[in-house]
Amino acid sequence: MVDVRPYMLSDKQACLAIFDGNVPDFFDATERDLFVEFLDRPKGQYFCIEKDGRILGCGGFAREDRGKARFTWGMVDQAHHGDGLGRLLTEHRLQEIVKAGDYKEADLPTTSRVAPFFEKFGFVETGREKDGFAPGMDKVLMIKPL
């Protein structure tokens, strides 16, 4: 059974392994230190996808400013891409944002490679920064009204 549950500090190494497995296709290695800092003190709500005691994904959201929630550090174990876990994580985050009741929109920064995935959930591109994450890895800003 697959469960989405709150992140615990004991999940840190499993989350870092997922990050490492998604470099260089979805993250740049230079972002790892930022992720380590985040995992030590997550902002907002952060979740893990767990199946049979194994962490297969992680991601969350935090208050960006009044009325806006920002998706934070979402990823799925590379071996499980295409298994529906990204969809599960995205839907869970959106449900939790709506449940909080004080957000008007959700936004996220992602790469041009991942942006089409989030379009399926109603996110639309609002801007693009060439090489925003790393050389050859543009940053795409997306937003979804709630």
Side-chain angles (χ1 to χ4, degrees), residues 112 114-125 128 140 142:
S112 54
V114 180
F117 170 80
F118 287 109
E119 288 173 352
K120 297 175 191 174
F121 297 92
F123 283 87
V124 295
E125 183 175 332
R128 187 176 290 248
V140 178
M142 303 186 83

Side-chain angles (χ1 to χ4, degrees), residues 70 108-110 124-129 139-143:
R70 173 158 290 172
L108 59 92
T110 191
V124 295
E125 183 175 332
T126 60
R128 187 176 290 248
E129 181 183 341
K139 182 186 287 187
V140 178
L141 304 173
M142 303 186 83
I143 198 160

Side-chain angles (χ1 to χ4, degrees), residues 5-81:
R5 60 157 177 83
Y7 167 82
M8 298 180 288
L9 193 53
S10 59
D11 299 323
K12 181 179 177 180
Q13 292 309 312
C15 292
L16 288 172
I18 293 169
F19 176 91
D20 292 341
N22 278 290
V23 171
D25 295 334
F26 298 96
F27 294 99
D28 188 76
T30 60
E31 297 175 278
R32 193 176 198 277
D33 288 342
L34 293 172
F35 188 46
V36 168
E37 288 177 28
F38 176 86
L39 291 174
D40 286 339
R41 289 174 300 286
K43 293 181 178 138
Q45 296 185 47
Y46 202 65
F47 309 98
C48 287
I49 299 173
E50 183 176 5
K51 181 178 181 184
D52 301 325
R54 184 165 174 241
I55 304 301
L56 300 179
C58 50
F61 69 92
R63 181 173 302 281
E64 178 64 15
D65 56 30
R66 186 180 179 122
K68 187 184 292 185
R70 173 158 290 172
F71 274 28
T72 57
W73 293 105
M75 62 195 80
V76 171
D77 185 311
Q78 180 86 316
H80 291 275
H81 286 190

